[in-house]
Amino acid sequence: MYKSVLTLLLGLLLFFAGCQSIQKVGDGVQSGELVVDVASSGIASLLQDKPQILIARENLLLNGIAVLFEVTLNGIVVGNLGNGEKAAYSVGPGIHQLVVRNRGPDGSWSNVKGSKKIELRDGSRYFIISPAMGWTTGRIKIKEVSLDIWKKN
């Protein structure tokens, strides 16, 4: 009995360690602090006067860690987010279309995506994105949240 439990625990430990090693890394940042002015990788400066769309990809243990989420604003690809990463994109006031697509483990496209129309006036807006399962297919959930909730994610 003792050997069986020990073998099971060791197997689970190796499984979870292996899952973490296949996690894809995007061009967002992992910590709660955003990098200041890395515009070349799609992360905009937090010090600009323009309103921003700030996105955090939910940090999930096993669900979708081997895929990147491609972030598109107004038809232009602005970055890729890995599990638990965050990014900020400076945009002008107005209506913007946010589309997040799932890139499969091999980098190919899938039909899994989520989209949201966002109206910015004078302040920044905060979103958390996460994979979700619909009735017949997967999708990406885009949820608007407060700054406090966004920071905790």
Side-chain angles (χ1 to χ4, degrees):
M1 175 74 177
Y2 179 72
K3 273 186 169 181
S4 299
V5 171
L6 186 59
T7 303
L8 177 64
L9 289 175
L10 181 61
L12 287 172
L13 177 68
L14 291 173
F15 173 75
F16 286 123
C19 288
Q20 287 299 334
S21 68
I22 61 170
Q23 179 171 331
K24 299 280 186 175
V25 178
D27 49 16
V29 294
Q30 285 283 344
S31 70
E33 299 297 318
L34 286 174
V35 175
V36 175
D37 206 11
V38 188
S40 64
S41 67
I43 303 171
S45 169
L46 286 175
L47 301 177
Q48 295 178 357
D49 291 334
K50 286 184 180 178
Q52 295 184 338
I53 294 175
L54 293 98
I55 301 172
R57 179 170 167 185
E58 193 169 11
N59 192 2
L60 300 171
L61 180 61
L62 293 176
N63 194 354
I65 64 170
V67 298
L68 293 175
F69 284 1
E70 180 186 77
V71 179
T72 304
L73 275 172
N74 303 324
I76 300 170
V77 176
V78 292
N80 294 290
L81 292 179
N83 194 35
E85 292 183 338
K86 295 180 177 184
Y89 306 102
S90 289
V91 292
I95 296 175
H96 303 279
Q97 183 68 33
L98 171 65
V99 177
V100 181
R101 290 184 63 185
N102 181 347
R103 297 189 69 170
D106 61 353
S108 64
W109 297 111
S110 72
N111 290 327
V112 178
K113 70 178 182 177
S115 64
K116 188 167 197 78
K117 194 170 278 197
I118 302 166
E119 184 176 355
L120 286 179
R121 293 198 177 126
D122 55 357
S124 296
R125 308 268 297 271
Y126 305 88
F127 298 91
I128 294 178
I129 58 174
S130 60
M133 191 63 201
W135 283 101
T136 59
T137 185
R139 61 185 170 86
I140 296 175
K141 188 167 52 171
I142 302 172
K143 180 181 176 185
E144 186 166 4
V145 296
S146 68
L147 174 60
D148 292 335
I149 292 173
W150 186 84
K151 284 181 178 180
K152 289 178 186 177
N153 198 28

